[in-house]
C-alpha cells in the first residue's frame, strides 16, 4: 500500500509539473495564434487523446468485473454534464488565455490556483459552510495578490485581473464537475467536456479570430503540449494518482503547478520574478496549503466528534 501511495504522489507531482509548464506553452502560443484559436485546438486535441483512455479504463473494468453498461438515464446525465462542463471549460480557458497574453507565466500560475480559495465561497450558494480557516486564508491570499500584482502606481495589471476572472471561471467549472462526477464516469465526462469546449471554440475562432492554417501549424508545439500533455496525459495521471493518494494531499501536490509555472517561466522565458513578487507567491501558496489541510477528511472527522 505504501508503494502505491508513493507512486500516486509521484504521478500527481508529474501532473503538477505538466500543468505548470503548460502556462509557458499557453504564453508562447500567443506569438502565433489568438486565444480562442489556441484553446479550440488544444481542447479538440485533449478530447481526442482522452478517447483511448476511455477504452483503456473500460477494458480494465471488464477484466476486474466492475464494468457496467450505461443505462439511458446515465447516458443522459453524462451528456448533460459534458455539455455544461464543456461550456464552463470554454469560458474559463478562453478568459485565462486572454489574461496570460498580458501578464507573466509565474503570475498567471499563482493567480489561477486561487480557485482553491474561491470554490469554498461559491459553496455558500449551495449552503455549504466553508472551513473556519478560509477567512484567514482569504486575507492571506489577498495580501499575496497585492505583493504579486500591485505595481508602483497602485494599480493591478489588466492581464492579472483577467486571469483572476479565469480563476473564477475554473471555480464554477469545479462546482459543475462536483455535481456530475459522482453520477457518471470521470474519464468519459472529461473527454466529452473537452470535445464540447473544442467544438464551441472552433465555431468561435472561425467567427472571431479567422485563423489561417499556417498560423496554427506555426503554433503546433505549444498547442500539442497544452492539448495532449496538459489536457490528455495530465488528467489521466491525475485520475490514476488520486486512486492511491488522500484527497487533501493530492490537492496540495497538484497546487504545486503554480510553483512549477514560476520556475518554467524563469527558465524557459527568462521571466524572472522580483523579490516582492516571490513574497506574494509565498503568501498565496501558504494560504492554499492551509486550506487543503483544513479540508482533509481527518480534520473534518475531528471537528464532528
Amino acid at each position: 500500500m505504501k508503494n502505491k501511495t508513493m507512486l500516486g504522489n509521484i504521478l500527481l507531482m508529474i501532473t503538477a509539473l505538466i500543468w505548470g509548464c503548460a502556462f509557458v506553452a499557453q504564453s508562447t502560443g500567443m506569438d502565433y495564434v489568438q486565444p480562442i484559436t489556441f484553446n479550440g485546438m488544444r481542447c479538440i486535441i485533449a478530447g481526442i487523446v482522452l478517447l483511448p483512455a476511455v477504452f483503456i479504463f473500460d477494458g480494465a473494468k471488464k477484466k476486474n468485473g466492475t464494468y457496467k453498461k450505461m443505462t439511458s438515464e446515465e447516458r443522459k446525465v453524462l451528456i448533460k454534464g459534458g455539455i455544461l462542463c464543456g461550456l464552463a471549460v470554454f469560458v474559463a480557458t478562453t478568459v485565462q488565455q486572454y489574461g496570460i497574453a498580458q501578464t507573466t507565466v509565474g503570475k498567471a500560475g499563482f493567480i489561477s490556483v486561487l480557485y482553491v480559495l474561491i470554490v469554498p465561497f461559491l459553496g455558500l450558494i449551495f449552503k455549504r459552510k466553508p472551513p473556519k480557516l478560509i477567512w484567514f486564508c482569504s486575507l492571506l491570499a489577498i495580501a499575496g495578490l497585492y505583493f504579486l500584482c500591485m505595481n508602483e502606481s497602485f494599480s493591478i495589471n489588466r492581464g492579472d485581473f483577467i486571469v483572476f476572472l479565469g480563476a473564477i471561471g475554473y471555480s464554477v467549472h469545479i462546482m459543475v464537475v462536483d455535481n456530475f462526477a459522482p453520477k457518471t464516469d470521470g474519464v468519459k465526462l472529461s473527454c466529452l467536456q473537452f470535445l464540447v469546449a473544442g467544438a464551441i471554440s472552433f465555431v468561435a475562432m472561425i467567427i472571431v479570430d479567422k485563423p489561417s492554417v499556417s498560423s496554427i501549424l506555426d503554433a503546433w508545439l505549444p498547442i500539442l503540449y497544452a492539448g495532449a500533455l496538459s489536457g490528455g496525459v495530465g488528467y489521466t495521471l491525475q485520475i490514476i494518482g488520486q486512486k492511491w493518494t488522500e484527497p487533501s494531499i493530492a490537492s496540495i501536490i497538484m497546487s504545486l503547478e503554480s510553483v512549477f509555472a514560476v520556475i518554467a517561466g524563469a527558465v524557459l522565458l527568462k521571466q524572472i520574478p522580483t523579490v516582492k513578487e516571490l513574497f506574494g507567491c509565498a503568501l498565496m501558496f501558504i494560504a492554499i496549503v492551509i486550506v487543503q489541510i483544513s479540508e482533509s477528511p481527518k480534520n473534518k472527522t475531528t471537528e464532528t466528534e
Side-chain angles (χ1 to χ4, degrees), residues 19-32 38 97 99-109 221-222 225 260-273:
W19 286 348
C21 292
F23 285 97
V24 172
Q26 289 176 251
S27 179
T28 55
M30 294 301 91
D31 294 336
Y32 308 100
F38 185 89
Q97 196 64 33
I100 290 176
Q102 302 175 56
T103 189
T104 65
V105 165
K107 283 186 178 183
L221 184 57
Y225 183 94
F260 287 125
V262 172
I263 296 173
V267 173
L268 300 176
L269 301 180
K270 308 302 180 184
Q271 295 178 348
I272 310 298

mmCIF file of all heavy atoms in Angstrom, residues 19-32 38 97 99-109 221-222 225 260-273:
data_model
loop_
_atom_site.group_PDB
_atom_site.id
_atom_site.type_symbol
_atom_site.label_atom_id
_atom_site.label_comp_id
_atom_site.label_asym_id
_atom_site.label_seq_id
_atom_site.Cartn_x
_atom_site.Cartn_y
_atom_site.Cartn_z
ATOM 1 N N TRP A 19 1.226 20.605 -15.799
ATOM 2 C CA TRP A 19 0.302 21.737 -15.774
ATOM 3 C C TRP A 19 1.033 23.061 -15.599
ATOM 4 O O TRP A 19 0.669 24.065 -16.200
ATOM 5 C CB TRP A 19 -0.730 21.544 -14.658
ATOM 6 C CG TRP A 19 -1.767 20.509 -14.987
ATOM 7 C CD1 TRP A 19 -1.994 19.937 -16.207
ATOM 8 C CD2 TRP A 19 -2.709 19.922 -14.090
ATOM 9 N NE1 TRP A 19 -3.014 19.022 -16.122
ATOM 10 C CE2 TRP A 19 -3.485 18.998 -14.839
ATOM 11 C CE3 TRP A 19 -2.981 20.073 -12.731
ATOM 12 C CZ2 TRP A 19 -4.506 18.244 -14.258
ATOM 13 C CZ3 TRP A 19 -4.004 19.317 -12.163
ATOM 14 C CH2 TRP A 19 -4.752 18.420 -12.918
ATOM 15 N N GLY A 20 2.086 23.054 -14.767
ATOM 16 C CA GLY A 20 2.849 24.288 -14.563
ATOM 17 C C GLY A 20 3.540 24.744 -15.839
ATOM 18 O O GLY A 20 3.508 25.933 -16.188
ATOM 19 N N CYS A 21 4.139 23.794 -16.549
ATOM 20 C CA CYS A 21 4.821 24.130 -17.807
ATOM 21 C C CYS A 21 3.829 24.498 -18.907
ATOM 22 O O CYS A 21 4.195 25.161 -19.883
ATOM 23 C CB CYS A 21 5.674 22.944 -18.270
ATOM 24 S SG CYS A 21 7.088 22.598 -17.199
ATOM 25 N N ALA A 22 2.568 24.090 -18.742
ATOM 26 C CA ALA A 22 1.553 24.413 -19.749
ATOM 27 C C ALA A 22 1.344 25.921 -19.861
ATOM 28 O O ALA A 22 0.950 26.420 -20.920
ATOM 29 C CB ALA A 22 0.230 23.728 -19.405
ATOM 30 N N PHE A 23 1.605 26.653 -18.769
ATOM 31 C CA PHE A 23 1.461 28.107 -18.824
ATOM 32 C C PHE A 23 2.466 28.714 -19.804
ATOM 33 O O PHE A 23 2.181 29.718 -20.455
ATOM 34 C CB PHE A 23 1.638 28.719 -17.429
ATOM 35 C CG PHE A 23 0.458 28.517 -16.524
ATOM 36 C CD1 PHE A 23 0.426 27.483 -15.607
ATOM 37 C CD2 PHE A 23 -0.636 29.371 -16.597
ATOM 38 C CE1 PHE A 23 -0.668 27.292 -14.779
ATOM 39 C CE2 PHE A 23 -1.731 29.195 -15.778
ATOM 40 C CZ PHE A 23 -1.749 28.150 -14.862
ATOM 41 N N VAL A 24 3.637 28.092 -19.898
ATOM 42 C CA VAL A 24 4.637 28.542 -20.870
ATOM 43 C C VAL A 24 4.125 28.286 -22.284
ATOM 44 O O VAL A 24 4.233 29.141 -23.172
ATOM 45 C CB VAL A 24 5.987 27.816 -20.648
ATOM 46 C CG1 VAL A 24 6.960 28.154 -21.780
ATOM 47 C CG2 VAL A 24 6.591 28.197 -19.316
ATOM 48 N N ALA A 25 3.559 27.096 -22.495
ATOM 49 C CA ALA A 25 3.004 26.762 -23.811
ATOM 50 C C ALA A 25 1.888 27.726 -24.185
ATOM 51 O O ALA A 25 1.799 28.191 -25.329
ATOM 52 C CB ALA A 25 2.478 25.322 -23.804
ATOM 53 N N GLN A 26 1.029 28.054 -23.206
ATOM 54 C CA GLN A 26 -0.070 28.975 -23.472
ATOM 55 C C GLN A 26 0.436 30.378 -23.804
ATOM 56 O O GLN A 26 -0.142 31.084 -24.619
ATOM 57 C CB GLN A 26 -1.002 29.041 -22.246
ATOM 58 C CG GLN A 26 -1.810 27.780 -22.036
ATOM 59 C CD GLN A 26 -2.643 27.837 -20.769
ATOM 60 O OE1 GLN A 26 -2.363 27.163 -19.794
ATOM 61 N NE2 GLN A 26 -3.692 28.643 -20.776
ATOM 62 N N SER A 27 1.523 30.770 -23.150
ATOM 63 C CA SER A 27 2.095 32.094 -23.391
ATOM 64 C C SER A 27 2.768 32.171 -24.758
ATOM 65 O O SER A 27 2.537 33.105 -25.532
ATOM 66 C CB SER A 27 3.102 32.436 -22.288
ATOM 67 O OG SER A 27 3.694 33.695 -22.506
ATOM 68 N N THR A 28 3.599 31.176 -25.087
ATOM 69 C CA THR A 28 4.313 31.184 -26.368
ATOM 70 C C THR A 28 3.359 30.963 -27.539
ATOM 71 O O THR A 28 3.609 31.431 -28.651
ATOM 72 C CB THR A 28 5.402 30.098 -26.388
ATOM 73 O OG1 THR A 28 4.812 28.823 -26.093
ATOM 74 C CG2 THR A 28 6.481 30.390 -25.350
ATOM 75 N N GLY A 29 2.251 30.258 -27.292
ATOM 76 C CA GLY A 29 1.282 30.020 -28.357
ATOM 77 C C GLY A 29 0.668 31.303 -28.869
ATOM 78 O O GLY A 29 0.260 31.397 -30.041
ATOM 79 N N MET A 30 0.635 32.333 -28.000
ATOM 80 C CA MET A 30 0.065 33.628 -28.386
ATOM 81 C C MET A 30 0.932 34.372 -29.399
ATOM 82 O O MET A 30 0.507 35.366 -29.981
ATOM 83 C CB MET A 30 -0.126 34.516 -27.152
ATOM 84 C CG MET A 30 -1.154 34.011 -26.156
ATOM 85 S SD MET A 30 -2.823 33.828 -26.857
ATOM 86 C CE MET A 30 -2.772 32.125 -27.401
ATOM 87 N N ASP A 31 2.161 33.883 -29.607
ATOM 88 C CA ASP A 31 3.029 34.504 -30.621
ATOM 89 C C ASP A 31 2.559 34.165 -32.038
ATOM 90 O O ASP A 31 2.984 34.808 -32.999
ATOM 91 C CB ASP A 31 4.472 34.017 -30.444
ATOM 92 C CG ASP A 31 5.086 34.488 -29.123
ATOM 93 O OD1 ASP A 31 4.611 35.504 -28.580
ATOM 94 O OD2 ASP A 31 6.026 33.821 -28.641
ATOM 95 N N TYR A 32 1.710 33.146 -32.147
ATOM 96 C CA TYR A 32 1.307 32.667 -33.468
ATOM 97 C C TYR A 32 -0.195 32.751 -33.726
ATOM 98 O O TYR A 32 -0.615 33.050 -34.850
ATOM 99 C CB TYR A 32 1.752 31.203 -33.640
ATOM 100 C CG TYR A 32 3.206 30.975 -33.351
ATOM 101 C CD1 TYR A 32 3.615 30.459 -32.117
ATOM 102 C CD2 TYR A 32 4.183 31.279 -34.300
ATOM 103 C CE1 TYR A 32 4.965 30.246 -31.846
ATOM 104 C CE2 TYR A 32 5.529 31.065 -34.037
ATOM 105 C CZ TYR A 32 5.913 30.556 -32.801
ATOM 106 O OH TYR A 32 7.238 30.356 -32.528
ATOM 107 N N PHE A 38 -6.213 29.104 -30.069
ATOM 108 C CA PHE A 38 -5.336 28.249 -29.267
ATOM 109 C C PHE A 38 -6.156 27.283 -28.425
ATOM 110 O O PHE A 38 -5.885 26.076 -28.385
ATOM 111 C CB PHE A 38 -4.444 29.104 -28.367
ATOM 112 C CG PHE A 38 -3.433 28.315 -27.588
ATOM 113 C CD1 PHE A 38 -2.186 28.052 -28.119
ATOM 114 C CD2 PHE A 38 -3.736 27.820 -26.319
ATOM 115 C CE1 PHE A 38 -1.247 27.322 -27.412
ATOM 116 C CE2 PHE A 38 -2.813 27.076 -25.606
ATOM 117 C CZ PHE A 38 -1.563 26.838 -26.147
ATOM 118 N N GLN A 97 -6.740 32.529 -21.121
ATOM 119 C CA GLN A 97 -5.806 32.680 -22.233
ATOM 120 C C GLN A 97 -5.602 34.144 -22.605
ATOM 121 O O GLN A 97 -4.479 34.576 -22.889
ATOM 122 C CB GLN A 97 -6.317 31.890 -23.444
ATOM 123 C CG GLN A 97 -5.273 31.652 -24.514
ATOM 124 C CD GLN A 97 -4.133 30.788 -24.029
ATOM 125 O OE1 GLN A 97 -4.316 29.900 -23.203
ATOM 126 N NE2 GLN A 97 -2.948 31.055 -24.521
ATOM 127 N N GLY A 99 -5.827 36.572 -20.535
ATOM 128 C CA GLY A 99 -5.044 37.149 -19.449
ATOM 129 C C GLY A 99 -3.577 36.805 -19.533
ATOM 130 O O GLY A 99 -2.708 37.665 -19.327
ATOM 131 N N ILE A 100 -3.280 35.544 -19.854
ATOM 132 C CA ILE A 100 -1.885 35.101 -19.943
ATOM 133 C C ILE A 100 -1.127 35.887 -21.006
ATOM 134 O O ILE A 100 0.068 36.143 -20.866
ATOM 135 C CB ILE A 100 -1.827 33.590 -20.239
ATOM 136 C CG1 ILE A 100 -2.286 32.796 -19.019
ATOM 137 C CG2 ILE A 100 -0.414 33.156 -20.636
ATOM 138 C CD1 ILE A 100 -2.352 31.305 -19.238
ATOM 139 N N ALA A 101 -1.839 36.295 -22.052
ATOM 140 C CA ALA A 101 -1.204 37.059 -23.129
ATOM 141 C C ALA A 101 -0.762 38.442 -22.653
ATOM 142 O O ALA A 101 0.032 39.106 -23.323
ATOM 143 C CB ALA A 101 -2.164 37.207 -24.306
ATOM 144 N N GLN A 102 -1.251 38.863 -21.460
ATOM 145 C CA GLN A 102 -0.953 40.214 -20.978
ATOM 146 C C GLN A 102 -0.256 40.236 -19.622
ATOM 147 O O GLN A 102 -0.186 41.266 -18.964
ATOM 148 C CB GLN A 102 -2.264 41.019 -20.885
ATOM 149 C CG GLN A 102 -3.018 41.109 -22.204
ATOM 150 C CD GLN A 102 -4.356 41.787 -22.056
ATOM 151 O OE1 GLN A 102 -4.441 42.921 -21.583
ATOM 152 N NE2 GLN A 102 -5.420 41.117 -22.472
ATOM 153 N N THR A 103 0.252 39.080 -19.177
ATOM 154 C CA THR A 103 0.979 39.040 -17.911
ATOM 155 C C THR A 103 2.061 37.974 -18.007
ATOM 156 O O THR A 103 2.239 37.351 -19.057
ATOM 157 C CB THR A 103 0.027 38.751 -16.740
ATOM 158 O OG1 THR A 103 0.733 38.924 -15.506
ATOM 159 C CG2 THR A 103 -0.514 37.330 -16.795
ATOM 160 N N THR A 104 2.795 37.753 -16.909
ATOM 161 C CA THR A 104 3.868 36.760 -16.922
ATOM 162 C C THR A 104 3.321 35.381 -16.576
ATOM 163 O O THR A 104 2.253 35.252 -15.954
ATOM 164 C CB THR A 104 4.974 37.117 -15.918
ATOM 165 O OG1 THR A 104 4.449 37.062 -14.583
ATOM 166 C CG2 THR A 104 5.530 38.502 -16.193
ATOM 167 N N VAL A 105 4.073 34.357 -16.954
ATOM 168 C CA VAL A 105 3.676 32.974 -16.700
ATOM 169 C C VAL A 105 3.576 32.703 -15.205
ATOM 170 O O VAL A 105 2.632 32.051 -14.729
ATOM 171 C CB VAL A 105 4.682 32.010 -17.362
ATOM 172 C CG1 VAL A 105 4.502 30.598 -16.821
ATOM 173 C CG2 VAL A 105 4.514 32.016 -18.877
ATOM 174 N N GLY A 106 4.547 33.185 -14.437
ATOM 175 C CA GLY A 106 4.559 32.955 -12.993
ATOM 176 C C GLY A 106 3.339 33.535 -12.310
ATOM 177 O O GLY A 106 2.697 32.885 -11.478
ATOM 178 N N LYS A 107 3.001 34.773 -12.639
ATOM 179 C CA LYS A 107 1.820 35.407 -12.050
ATOM 180 C C LYS A 107 0.557 34.638 -12.418
ATOM 181 O O LYS A 107 -0.296 34.370 -11.569
ATOM 182 C CB LYS A 107 1.696 36.850 -12.546
ATOM 183 C CG LYS A 107 2.649 37.844 -11.893
ATOM 184 C CD LYS A 107 2.315 39.245 -12.366
ATOM 185 C CE LYS A 107 3.200 40.292 -11.720
ATOM 186 N NZ LYS A 107 2.815 41.659 -12.131
ATOM 187 N N ALA A 108 0.446 34.282 -13.676
ATOM 188 C CA ALA A 108 -0.742 33.566 -14.140
ATOM 189 C C ALA A 108 -0.909 32.241 -13.406
ATOM 190 O O ALA A 108 -2.026 31.853 -13.037
ATOM 191 C CB ALA A 108 -0.649 33.316 -15.647
ATOM 192 N N GLY A 109 0.217 31.563 -13.165
ATOM 193 C CA GLY A 109 0.167 30.282 -12.469
ATOM 194 C C GLY A 109 -0.393 30.403 -11.069
ATOM 195 O O GLY A 109 -1.247 29.616 -10.651
ATOM 196 N N LEU A 221 3.601 23.113 -31.661
ATOM 197 C CA LEU A 221 4.238 22.558 -30.466
ATOM 198 C C LEU A 221 3.539 22.998 -29.177
ATOM 199 O O LEU A 221 3.167 22.140 -28.356
ATOM 200 C CB LEU A 221 5.724 22.930 -30.430
ATOM 201 C CG LEU A 221 6.529 22.325 -29.273
ATOM 202 C CD1 LEU A 221 6.412 20.808 -29.292
ATOM 203 C CD2 LEU A 221 7.991 22.749 -29.367
ATOM 204 N N PRO A 222 3.335 24.317 -28.938
ATOM 205 C CA PRO A 222 2.608 24.698 -27.718
ATOM 206 C C PRO A 222 1.172 24.190 -27.682
ATOM 207 O O PRO A 222 0.667 23.828 -26.616
ATOM 208 C CB PRO A 222 2.662 26.235 -27.733
ATOM 209 C CG PRO A 222 3.013 26.623 -29.118
ATOM 210 C CD PRO A 222 3.831 25.502 -29.653
ATOM 211 N N TYR A 225 1.361 20.472 -26.810
ATOM 212 C CA TYR A 225 1.705 20.287 -25.389
ATOM 213 C C TYR A 225 0.485 20.570 -24.505
ATOM 214 O O TYR A 225 0.142 19.776 -23.628
ATOM 215 C CB TYR A 225 2.854 21.215 -24.977
ATOM 216 C CG TYR A 225 3.281 21.002 -23.533
ATOM 217 C CD1 TYR A 225 4.327 20.150 -23.224
ATOM 218 C CD2 TYR A 225 2.611 21.631 -22.488
ATOM 219 C CE1 TYR A 225 4.701 19.917 -21.906
ATOM 220 C CE2 TYR A 225 2.972 21.410 -21.170
ATOM 221 C CZ TYR A 225 4.019 20.561 -20.885
ATOM 222 O OH TYR A 225 4.366 20.334 -19.573
ATOM 223 N N PHE A 260 5.755 25.415 -10.207
ATOM 224 C CA PHE A 260 6.395 24.986 -11.455
ATOM 225 C C PHE A 260 6.202 26.030 -12.559
ATOM 226 O O PHE A 260 7.062 26.169 -13.436
ATOM 227 C CB PHE A 260 5.842 23.631 -11.904
ATOM 228 C CG PHE A 260 6.322 22.476 -11.083
ATOM 229 C CD1 PHE A 260 5.428 21.598 -10.473
ATOM 230 C CD2 PHE A 260 7.677 22.245 -10.907
ATOM 231 C CE1 PHE A 260 5.873 20.526 -9.717
ATOM 232 C CE2 PHE A 260 8.151 21.172 -10.145
ATOM 233 C CZ PHE A 260 7.235 20.309 -9.545
ATOM 234 N N ALA A 261 5.080 26.741 -12.529
ATOM 235 C CA ALA A 261 4.837 27.785 -13.523
ATOM 236 C C ALA A 261 5.867 28.905 -13.383
ATOM 237 O O ALA A 261 6.391 29.421 -14.384
ATOM 238 C CB ALA A 261 3.428 28.353 -13.366
ATOM 239 N N VAL A 262 6.169 29.291 -12.138
ATOM 240 C CA VAL A 262 7.181 30.326 -11.892
ATOM 241 C C VAL A 262 8.549 29.854 -12.381
ATOM 242 O O VAL A 262 9.278 30.586 -13.066
ATOM 243 C CB VAL A 262 7.257 30.676 -10.391
ATOM 244 C CG1 VAL A 262 8.445 31.599 -10.116
ATOM 245 C CG2 VAL A 262 5.972 31.355 -9.945
ATOM 246 N N ILE A 263 8.899 28.605 -12.039
ATOM 247 C CA ILE A 263 10.201 28.054 -12.437
ATOM 248 C C ILE A 263 10.303 27.947 -13.955
ATOM 249 O O ILE A 263 11.318 28.330 -14.554
ATOM 250 C CB ILE A 263 10.414 26.664 -11.791
ATOM 251 C CG1 ILE A 263 10.471 26.796 -10.269
ATOM 252 C CG2 ILE A 263 11.699 26.019 -12.319
ATOM 253 C CD1 ILE A 263 10.501 25.458 -9.543
ATOM 254 N N ALA A 264 9.238 27.438 -14.593
ATOM 255 C CA ALA A 264 9.244 27.281 -16.051
ATOM 256 C C ALA A 264 9.339 28.638 -16.740
ATOM 257 O O ALA A 264 10.056 28.791 -17.739
ATOM 258 C CB ALA A 264 7.986 26.546 -16.505
ATOM 259 N N GLY A 265 8.607 29.631 -16.220
ATOM 260 C CA GLY A 265 8.662 30.969 -16.801
ATOM 261 C C GLY A 265 10.035 31.586 -16.703
ATOM 262 O O GLY A 265 10.511 32.255 -17.629
ATOM 263 N N ALA A 266 10.706 31.342 -15.562
ATOM 264 C CA ALA A 266 12.045 31.896 -15.361
ATOM 265 C C ALA A 266 13.077 31.202 -16.245
ATOM 266 O O ALA A 266 13.935 31.846 -16.852
ATOM 267 C CB ALA A 266 12.447 31.765 -13.887
ATOM 268 N N VAL A 267 12.985 29.876 -16.341
ATOM 269 C CA VAL A 267 13.981 29.097 -17.094
ATOM 270 C C VAL A 267 13.780 29.212 -18.602
ATOM 271 O O VAL A 267 14.735 29.445 -19.359
ATOM 272 C CB VAL A 267 13.929 27.610 -16.671
ATOM 273 C CG1 VAL A 267 14.847 26.772 -17.564
ATOM 274 C CG2 VAL A 267 14.329 27.456 -15.226
ATOM 275 N N LEU A 268 12.536 29.059 -19.063
ATOM 276 C CA LEU A 268 12.269 28.996 -20.493
ATOM 277 C C LEU A 268 12.014 30.353 -21.141
ATOM 278 O O LEU A 268 12.365 30.559 -22.302
ATOM 279 C CB LEU A 268 11.066 28.081 -20.757
ATOM 280 C CG LEU A 268 11.226 26.628 -20.278
ATOM 281 C CD1 LEU A 268 9.932 25.852 -20.509
ATOM 282 C CD2 LEU A 268 12.388 25.949 -20.995
ATOM 283 N N LEU A 269 11.403 31.278 -20.381
ATOM 284 C CA LEU A 269 11.059 32.581 -20.964
ATOM 285 C C LEU A 269 11.836 33.737 -20.355
ATOM 286 O O LEU A 269 11.616 34.892 -20.722
ATOM 287 C CB LEU A 269 9.551 32.838 -20.790
ATOM 288 C CG LEU A 269 8.601 31.813 -21.420
ATOM 289 C CD1 LEU A 269 7.149 32.208 -21.153
ATOM 290 C CD2 LEU A 269 8.853 31.704 -22.921
ATOM 291 N N LYS A 270 12.721 33.434 -19.414
ATOM 292 C CA LYS A 270 13.539 34.468 -18.738
ATOM 293 C C LYS A 270 12.670 35.513 -18.034
ATOM 294 O O LYS A 270 13.061 36.670 -17.913
ATOM 295 C CB LYS A 270 14.472 35.164 -19.751
ATOM 296 C CG LYS A 270 15.322 34.218 -20.590
ATOM 297 C CD LYS A 270 16.206 33.334 -19.729
ATOM 298 C CE LYS A 270 17.047 32.381 -20.595
ATOM 299 N NZ LYS A 270 17.853 31.444 -19.774
ATOM 300 N N GLN A 271 11.479 35.083 -17.571
ATOM 301 C CA GLN A 271 10.592 35.979 -16.820
ATOM 302 C C GLN A 271 10.927 35.834 -15.338
ATOM 303 O O GLN A 271 10.261 35.122 -14.592
ATOM 304 C CB GLN A 271 9.124 35.646 -17.094
ATOM 305 C CG GLN A 271 8.699 35.892 -18.528
ATOM 306 C CD GLN A 271 7.245 35.500 -18.780
ATOM 307 O OE1 GLN A 271 6.602 34.845 -17.977
ATOM 308 N NE2 GLN A 271 6.721 35.908 -19.931
ATOM 309 N N ILE A 272 11.985 36.505 -14.899
ATOM 310 C CA ILE A 272 12.477 36.382 -13.532
ATOM 311 C C ILE A 272 11.617 37.223 -12.588
ATOM 312 O O ILE A 272 11.526 38.440 -12.754
ATOM 313 C CB ILE A 272 13.945 36.829 -13.425
ATOM 314 C CG1 ILE A 272 14.796 36.146 -14.507
ATOM 315 C CG2 ILE A 272 14.485 36.524 -12.027
ATOM 316 C CD1 ILE A 272 14.831 34.660 -14.409
ATOM 317 N N PRO A 273 10.958 36.596 -11.591
ATOM 318 C CA PRO A 273 10.127 37.371 -10.658
ATOM 319 C C PRO A 273 10.985 38.213 -9.714
ATOM 320 O O PRO A 273 12.116 37.838 -9.380
ATOM 321 C CB PRO A 273 9.371 36.287 -9.897
ATOM 322 C CG PRO A 273 10.235 35.079 -9.968
ATOM 323 C CD PRO A 273 10.919 35.154 -11.319
#
